[in-house]
Amino acid sequence: MSIQTTMMQYPLTPVHFIERAGRYFARVEIVSKLPDGTVKRTTYGDFHRRARALASALTAAGLKRGDRVATLMWNHYAHLEAYFGVPAAGGVVHPLNLRLHIDDLTYIAHHAGDRFLIVDDCLLDLAAQVSKSVKFERVIVAPLSGAAVPPGYEDYEKLIAGAPAGFEYPQIDENDPLGMCYTSGTTGRPRGVVYSHRSTTIHTYNSAMCGGTPLTQHDIVLPAIPMFHVNAWGLPYSCTMIGASQVFLGPHLDAITLLETMERERVTCSGGVPTIWLAVLAALDREPNRWKLAPGLRLVVGGSAAPEAMIRGFDRHGITLIHAWGMTETSPVCTAAPLKRHLETLDEDTRYAYRAKQGYPYPFVELRVRGENGDVPPDGHTMGEIQVRGAYVTERYYGVDDDPEKFTADGWLRTGDVGVLDDEGYIKLTDRTKDLIKSGGEWISSVDLENAIMGHPAVAEAAVIAIPDPKWDERPLAAIVLKPGATATADDINTWLDGKFAKWWMPDEYVFIDAIPRTSTGKFLKSALRERFADRPAEGKPPRS
Amino acid sequence: MSIQTTMMQYPLTPVHFIERAGRYFARVEIVSKLPDGTVKRTTYGDFHRRARALASALTAAGLKRGDRVATLMWNHYAHLEAYFGVPAAGGVVHPLNLRLHIDDLTYIAHHAGDRFLIVDDCLLDLAAQVSKSVKFERVIVAPLSGAAVPPGYEDYEKLIAGAPAGFEYPQIDENDPLGMCYTSGTTGRPRGVVYSHRSTTIHTYNSAMCGGTPLTQHDIVLPAIPMFHVNAWGLPYSCTMIGASQVFLGPHLDAITLLETMERERVTCSGGVPTIWLAVLAALDREPNRWKLAPGLRLVVGGSAAPEAMIRGFDRHGITLIHAWGMTETSPVCTAAPLKRHLETLDEDTRYAYRAKQGYPYPFVELRVRGENGDVPPDGHTMGEIQVRGAYVTERYYGVDDDPEKFTADGWLRTGDVGVLDDEGYIKLTDRTKDLIKSGGEWISSVDLENAIMGHPAVAEAAVIAIPDPKWDERPLAAIVLKPGATATADDINTWLDGKFAKWWMPDEYVFIDAIPRTSTGKFLKSALRERFADRPAEGKPPRS
């Protein structure tokens, strides 16, 4: 007899969490420090009522299935409502990164076909600039400051208050789109991906595992990443599913505000990029006894590699830093680096070395590291490109033709990150593919060289780039910025590096410059450096050492 | 522009966990106390190799997609291999409850159409009995005792050792069947449900939340429920996904073995029925200092309602008991009763009252309590039938025509459990629908009356049943077993109950009997009592008090 499952078909969608939160977590707080500095306290009970009302109002306003609703908002209760209310109306929520250049913002909103815009009142000037070339049908303004919404705009609060009663959720196909996000690549135009209800649900479960120390209903979570930055790594979804309290800081992500808020709200978990945590650690080191933080506080770090010293530094304050890794194309969280149980008995240095890696994958994410001859051995030092596939990994870009540069023929995403794999399955990032130096058929990590050079006491910062070489294809050149008043010669730096790397890794040239060019998000703009030093190679010059 | 998700299609299947466990948790232990008492230590590395080999061997043996493979096995490493190896071959794993009566076992194996059987060597006699009327094509024997497998049977170890190399996983449709389970209802024939890869995956995520204190890779989990009892509540799947260590006890579920094993293996989490934990608590109370258990040990209890006193009792030993609820039809775990954060500041009695409830639902499970006029108010005392729907709830029984008794017209499973709902969304079970007493249009909980009567010092046990009544439709009758040597009259018991319940709840009659008839699984067989006392009602007799 042939057999089929007897289980119900039930869609996987975060929209489910609206009713769940309203029914089971109605008293749990959502705390928002607004752009003007005032603190507003709401609950999941409010969230439930208002997210439904938003969905009802958007439906009444003519929002159709698949229509995009952009947001230009900081982190706060209203942005959370938009995260859920837009998809509950069948729409696609599209948080715009308000830190992007206006040209990119305009391009993105236009390319995504955003139909409506929801914007913080303090960001109306920016919205007006975008609106010059993107004709949003409606611009809905959240009057966070309490001031009246200017003429010509809709008032978010009035929209909520006037929403038709009796809203019924639409039938949701879990493969329908739920949200969009664009990459802010350093090369070419930003590219968009479209998350589905299903992919976001699986990501929500994984995100709730929170790097090996899962979120529970007892957690009080402060996402120290903007909600326009890959959905704040999914924390708004996972907190709402679990019933964890959420604390939002609007634009106030300075170290002192973070620490004061963590103390006051008894925050148990947060997530942010290394620069945020570096500032927090510095503040803690300056005044170790100033803030009484919740015991067991854990911080997830991602976005770029965090130095091991930062993990050690937080441990001294009783705070656990957990490394995670992902990207816009992967929803984002793919891996995290909690220390496995059997590794806990290793010596301290080895333990920290593991924790400074980017970790091993979550369920339903597959990861491989590919060199020129297929999978690299898991030896901890052979580099390859990190490739992933899984339940919340994109297989293409929105509105872009097939791109063999970004996807392999057998269906994996080429992340553009280069790393090594160890025999426990932890990856460690060593470079970006485009920044890697390919010399004599071997790979040299620009990041490893930079980190070593930046260890020299006279060096403020350093970027290592590939320059063309007729014999070796490429050779490393180090561009160095010295600390104010400090001096060092090329020979000094070369001596400093000597013994730390294989001979053929050593840079051919050291150039001293005033500043490393940076992108709008603060990353090294190595393409500008490569252009500047493109004509640099001395023909046929042998490697320096 | 119309929009579609850009995310990959990636099936949700626990088969994914085989490679995951082999790659990332290869050194994590699986500890099995075998039926003969010896302890065997293996790892997820072994599991990975052997589960794949089993899948390869079954495929080579002609197992086709959807074919059922029954198991007659205790809890141990080989049963875990079958849990994953059978679905990895495209088959459906069907653990047979070896405690059932042979007639039921035979009926179930026949009804399910089990093609192969995998059996522990110590259970061969039982297998031979089943085989008399069920013609398994192959009977594969796990030689756990080390003795040679008798002629006429296949040797599980030889099957694994001889499996063809180069196994490739089949393409799995997540809605394909993965496993089967039959209810052991007290009325009528057992009925089967068919879990899918997808439903089991979602259940695995929820089961890993472990009643509010999620499983992590650091956990050492001892499922004190048989793997033939609704898949040991999903723990074998969730542990394998997370990389938690698993400890199996075969048939050895007595309190002393449990406690000794928990101490030796540093077990951090377990799950079992109230009778198991009652025995463990008694042993701890007798010898509070004998076992040094892991700090933070948590026990999940389910299967039937655990008394509040048991929760208090374990707290005295520093062990947290968490109540959960579910059934075969729901994979099984639907709800759990962790104390919400804002309830922690309530007084002790209130906190325990919450923890003794069955809790609120996991994500993607919806629950409602229906009285005769629709949803009951969430007032904590109005009873109704608990109905559920969700991502791992059955919508029918395998090979059975539509059953309006078990499913509502709008698509919810009627659980047959009666309960009340409070304004925090916690349910508390009060009865089974078939045991509930409907008197004068109101409901009386047989369970509440029984518990109160069993509080009388002279009473060993009591069962309260409905007897027909011409005026009130039904009235309660209490069947009481006195403790050896104890005496009590109907008036004594009536006085004992007086004031504890509304007047109209008070039993009309108290009858003293020698023993309460029980089912094979130890539950009260109230149908037998109802039959015995069917002619009991005094015509038109008014309620006693």
Side-chain angles (χ1 to χ4, degrees):
Chain A
M1 182 155 52
S2 105
I3 189 167
Q4 287 179 330
T5 181
T6 63
M7 296 289 121
M8 295 178 183
Q9 284 298 322
Y10 193 93
L12 299 178
T13 166
V15 169
H16 170 78
F17 307 150
I18 300 175
E19 290 302 308
R20 175 175 171 76
R23 193 175 282 239
Y24 302 113
F25 311 122
R27 291 171 178 82
V28 175
E29 272 195 328
I30 297 163
V31 181
S32 306
K33 190 180 181 79
L34 299 177
D36 68 3
T38 58
V39 174
K40 188 174 170 92
R41 309 185 89 87
T42 59
T43 63
Y44 280 118
D46 301 318
F47 160 80
H48 167 248
R49 186 173 48 79
R50 290 168 54 92
R52 274 183 69 114
L54 177 60
S56 177
L58 290 173
T59 305
L63 192 77
K64 295 275 178 287
R65 188 171 289 236
D67 282 352
R68 274 74 80 199
V69 178
T71 61
L72 259 181
M73 302 174 100
W74 293 106
N75 291 12
H76 48 62
Y77 66 97
H79 208 171
L80 187 71
E81 290 158 13
Y83 260 48
F84 286 87
V86 171
V92 180
V93 63
H94 179 203
L96 294 172
N97 182 344
L98 53 89
R99 289 187 183 135
L100 291 180
H101 189 275
I102 184 68
D103 290 349
D104 279 342
L105 259 184
T106 306
Y107 170 83
I108 288 172
H110 186 268
H111 187 266
D114 295 332
R115 200 176 154 206
F116 296 175
L117 172 69
I118 309 178
V119 57
D120 288 355
D121 56 0
C122 59
L123 295 169
L124 256 181
D125 286 351
L126 183 57
Q129 284 186 68
V130 179
S131 295
K132 276 182 200 160
S133 26
V134 181
K135 294 298 158 224
F136 300 108
E137 284 181 42
R138 287 162 182 257
V139 177
I140 301 157
V141 179
L144 303 175
S145 67
V149 169
Y153 294 109
E154 284 184 76
D155 183 327
Y156 179 83
E157 288 303 325
K158 287 183 182 154
L159 192 77
I160 297 271
F167 172 72
E168 299 270 352
Y169 292 97
Q171 285 282 94
I172 285 171
D173 179 329
E174 68 185 33
N175 290 308
D176 276 351
L178 164 121
M180 290 192 87
C181 192
Y182 277 72
T183 61
S184 48
T186 49
T187 54
R189 284 296 202 178
R191 289 195 276 197
V193 297
V194 184
Y195 308 121
S196 68
H197 289 257
R198 172 191 167 97
S199 69
T200 302
T201 298
I202 304 301
H203 185 266
T204 298
Y205 271 116
N206 283 358
S207 162
M209 288 184 194
C210 196
T213 309
L215 293 179
T216 76
Q217 198 275 325
H218 286 241
D219 274 307
I220 300 165
V221 181
L222 191 167
I225 334 114
M227 290 168 76
F228 53 75
H229 185 176
V230 214
N231 298 324
W233 304 350
L235 288 172
Y237 294 112
S238 46
C239 290
T240 305
M241 176 174 83
I242 295 293
S245 191
Q246 300 189 57
V247 180
F248 296 117
L249 285 185
H252 311 287
L253 289 178
D254 61 286
I256 302 303
T257 304
L258 270 164
L259 284 162
E260 279 176 3
T261 308
M262 285 179 172
E263 178 182 39
R264 188 185 68 237
E265 302 296 336
R266 310 299 295 148
V267 166
T268 59
C269 180
S270 185
V273 294
T275 43
I276 294 272
W277 298 136
L278 212 53
V280 167
L281 179 58
L284 284 171
D285 283 344
R286 272 195 307 274
E287 300 178 272
N289 301 314
R290 178 165 164 195
W291 299 279
K292 295 274 165 292
L293 303 175
L297 173 63
R298 58 206 194 278
L299 310 177
V300 178
V301 63
S304 54
E308 186 185 310
M310 197 195 290
I311 302 174
R312 291 179 185 261
F314 275 109
D315 271 351
R316 283 194 295 273
H317 297 282
I319 297 168
T320 303
L321 199 73
I322 304 164
H323 216 314
W325 170 81
M327 56 206 303
T328 303
E329 288 88 337
T330 64
S331 296
V333 188
C334 281
T335 70
L339 198 62
K340 295 182 191 174
R341 187 162 58 86
H342 69 274
L343 302 178
E344 284 190 320
T345 49
L346 298 175
D347 65 277
E348 186 178 286
D349 285 352
T350 311
R351 292 202 309 274
Y352 278 114
Y354 273 110
R355 289 179 56 197
K357 299 186 184 196
Q358 280 68 41
Y360 60 93
Y362 282 98
F364 301 107
V365 174
E366 288 182 78
L367 185 150
R368 68 185 187 188
V369 183
R370 302 284 274 191
E372 276 155 19
N373 303 310
D375 288 347
V376 303
D379 57 13
H381 69 261
T382 306
M383 280 182 276
E385 186 186 31
I386 297 171
Q387 301 182 351
V388 292
R389 66 177 180 184
Y392 49 76
V393 176
T394 202
E395 62 181 5
R396 60 188 176 89
Y397 291 97
Y398 174 66
V400 170
D401 289 338
D402 286 354
D403 187 347
E405 290 284 300
K406 299 292 287 182
F407 303 95
T408 68
D410 60 344
W412 296 64
L413 170 72
R414 301 184 59 178
T415 66
D417 275 330
V418 174
V420 297
L421 186 69
D422 66 32
D423 68 349
E424 288 288 347
Y426 287 67
I427 50 158
K428 184 172 171 57
L429 301 189
T430 54
D431 220 327
R432 293 285 299 165
T433 43
K434 61 181 170 37
D435 296 333
L436 196 70
I437 299 145
K438 288 121 186 164
S439 179
E442 303 282 349
W443 290 0
I444 297 171
S445 162
S446 66
V447 174
D448 284 358
L449 286 172
E450 287 160 6
N451 285 342
I453 297 170
M454 287 192 275
H456 188 285
V459 174
E461 53 187 30
V464 173
I465 57 166
I467 48 170
D469 183 278
K471 180 166 179 194
W472 307 102
D473 289 333
E474 293 182 348
R475 292 294 306 155
L477 174 147
I480 295 167
V481 180
L482 294 177
K483 286 181 183 161
T487 54
T489 64
D491 278 339
D492 292 341
I493 305 295
N494 200 61
T495 306
W496 171 257
L497 292 185
D498 201 22
K500 294 189 172 75
F501 296 98
K503 291 283 178 202
W504 58 273
W505 272 50
M506 300 289 281
D508 277 16
E509 285 200 70
Y510 300 88
V511 295
F512 295 87
I513 60 178
D514 292 339
I516 310 281
R518 288 177 184 270
T519 69
S520 64
T521 55
K523 294 177 184 173
F524 287 168
L525 190 58
K526 291 194 180 179
S527 55
L529 277 181
R530 278 193 292 266
E531 232 165 85
R532 177 163 164 193
F533 295 108
D535 55 351
R536 194 72 175 190
E539 287 275 331
K541 188 180 166 196
R544 185 182 172 100
S545 322
Chain B
M1 183 153 53
S2 105
I3 189 166
Q4 288 178 330
T5 180
T6 62
M7 296 289 121
M8 294 178 183
Q9 284 299 321
Y10 193 93
L12 299 178
T13 166
V15 169
H16 170 79
F17 307 151
I18 300 175
E19 291 301 308
R20 174 175 171 77
R23 191 175 284 239
Y24 303 113
F25 311 123
R27 292 170 177 82
V28 175
E29 272 196 326
I30 297 162
V31 181
S32 306
K33 189 180 181 79
L34 298 178
D36 67 4
T38 58
V39 173
K40 187 173 170 92
R41 309 185 88 87
T42 59
T43 64
Y44 280 118
D46 301 319
F47 160 80
H48 167 248
R49 186 173 48 79
R50 290 168 54 92
R52 274 183 70 115
L54 177 60
S56 177
L58 290 173
T59 305
L63 192 78
K64 295 272 179 288
R65 189 171 287 238
D67 282 353
R68 274 74 80 199
V69 177
T71 62
L72 260 181
M73 302 175 101
W74 294 107
N75 291 12
H76 48 61
Y77 66 97
H79 207 171
L80 187 71
E81 289 158 13
Y83 260 48
F84 286 86
V86 171
V92 180
V93 63
H94 179 203
L96 293 171
N97 182 344
L98 53 89
R99 288 188 184 135
L100 290 181
H101 189 275
I102 184 70
D103 291 349
D104 279 342
L105 259 184
T106 306
Y107 170 83
I108 288 172
H110 186 268
H111 187 267
D114 294 332
R115 198 175 156 207
F116 296 175
L117 173 69
I118 309 178
V119 56
D120 288 355
D121 56 1
C122 59
L123 295 169
L124 257 182
D125 285 351
L126 184 58
Q129 286 185 66
V130 179
S131 296
K132 276 183 199 160
S133 26
V134 182
K135 296 298 159 221
F136 299 109
E137 284 180 43
R138 289 164 180 255
V139 177
I140 301 156
V141 180
L144 302 175
S145 68
V149 169
Y153 294 108
E154 284 183 74
D155 183 327
Y156 180 83
E157 289 303 326
K158 287 183 182 154
L159 194 76
I160 297 271
F167 172 71
E168 298 270 353
Y169 292 97
Q171 285 283 92
I172 286 170
D173 178 328
E174 68 185 34
N175 290 307
D176 276 352
L178 164 122
M180 289 192 86
C181 192
Y182 278 71
T183 62
S184 47
T186 49
T187 53
R189 283 296 202 178
R191 289 195 276 196
V193 297
V194 184
Y195 307 120
S196 68
H197 289 257
R198 171 191 168 97
S199 69
T200 302
T201 298
I202 304 301
H203 184 267
T204 298
Y205 271 115
N206 283 358
S207 162
M209 288 184 194
C210 195
T213 309
L215 294 179
T216 75
Q217 198 275 326
H218 286 242
D219 273 307
I220 299 166
V221 181
L222 191 167
I225 334 115
M227 289 169 74
F228 52 74
H229 184 174
V230 213
N231 298 325
W233 304 351
L235 288 173
Y237 295 110
S238 47
C239 290
T240 306
M241 176 173 82
I242 295 293
S245 191
Q246 299 190 56
V247 180
F248 296 118
L249 284 184
H252 311 287
L253 289 178
D254 61 285
I256 302 303
T257 304
L258 270 164
L259 284 162
E260 280 175 1
T261 308
M262 284 179 173
E263 178 182 38
R264 189 185 66 238
E265 303 294 336
R266 309 300 295 150
V267 166
T268 59
C269 181
S270 184
V273 294
T275 43
I276 294 271
W277 299 136
L278 213 52
V280 166
L281 180 57
L284 284 171
D285 283 344
R286 273 194 307 274
E287 301 178 271
N289 301 313
R290 179 165 162 194
W291 299 279
K292 296 274 165 291
L293 303 175
L297 172 63
R298 58 207 194 277
L299 310 177
V300 178
V301 63
S304 55
E308 186 184 309
M310 197 194 289
I311 302 174
R312 290 179 186 260
F314 275 110
D315 271 350
R316 283 194 296 272
H317 297 282
I319 297 168
T320 303
L321 199 74
I322 304 164
H323 216 314
W325 170 80
M327 55 206 305
T328 303
E329 289 87 338
T330 64
S331 296
V333 188
C334 282
T335 69
L339 198 62
K340 295 182 192 175
R341 186 161 58 86
H342 68 274
L343 303 178
E344 284 190 321
T345 49
L346 298 176
D347 65 276
E348 187 178 286
D349 285 352
T350 310
R351 292 202 309 272
Y352 278 114
Y354 274 111
R355 289 180 55 197
K357 300 185 184 197
Q358 281 67 43
Y360 62 91
Y362 282 98
F364 301 106
V365 174
E366 287 182 78
L367 185 150
R368 67 186 188 187
V369 183
R370 300 285 274 191
E372 276 155 17
N373 304 310
D375 289 347
V376 302
D379 56 13
H381 69 262
T382 306
M383 280 182 276
E385 186 185 30
I386 296 171
Q387 302 182 350
V388 292
R389 66 176 180 185
Y392 48 76
V393 176
T394 202
E395 62 181 5
R396 60 190 175 89
Y397 291 97
Y398 174 67
V400 170
D401 289 337
D402 287 352
D403 187 347
E405 289 284 300
K406 298 293 285 183
F407 302 95
T408 68
D410 59 344
W412 295 65
L413 170 73
R414 301 184 58 177
T415 67
D417 276 329
V418 175
V420 297
L421 185 70
D422 67 31
D423 68 348
E424 288 287 348
Y426 288 67
I427 51 159
K428 183 172 172 57
L429 301 188
T430 54
D431 221 327
R432 293 284 301 165
T433 43
K434 62 183 170 36
D435 296 333
L436 196 69
I437 299 145
K438 288 122 186 163
S439 180
E442 302 282 350
W443 291 1
I444 297 171
S445 161
S446 66
V447 174
D448 284 358
L449 287 172
E450 287 159 7
N451 285 343
I453 296 169
M454 287 193 275
H456 189 284
V459 174
E461 52 186 31
V464 173
I465 57 167
I467 48 172
D469 184 278
K471 181 168 179 192
W472 305 104
D473 289 333
E474 293 182 349
R475 291 293 307 153
L477 174 147
I480 296 167
V481 180
L482 294 177
K483 286 181 183 162
T487 54
T489 64
D491 278 339
D492 291 340
I493 306 294
N494 200 62
T495 306
W496 172 258
L497 292 184
D498 201 20
K500 294 189 171 75
F501 296 98
K503 290 283 178 201
W504 57 274
W505 273 51
M506 301 289 283
D508 277 17
E509 285 200 70
Y510 301 88
V511 295
F512 295 88
I513 59 179
D514 292 339
I516 310 280
R518 288 177 183 272
T519 68
S520 63
T521 56
K523 293 178 184 173
F524 287 169
L525 190 59
K526 291 194 179 178
S527 57
L529 277 181
R530 278 193 291 267
E531 231 164 84
R532 179 165 162 192
F533 295 108
D535 55 351
R536 194 70 175 191
E539 287 275 332
K541 189 181 166 194
R544 185 185 171 100
S545 324

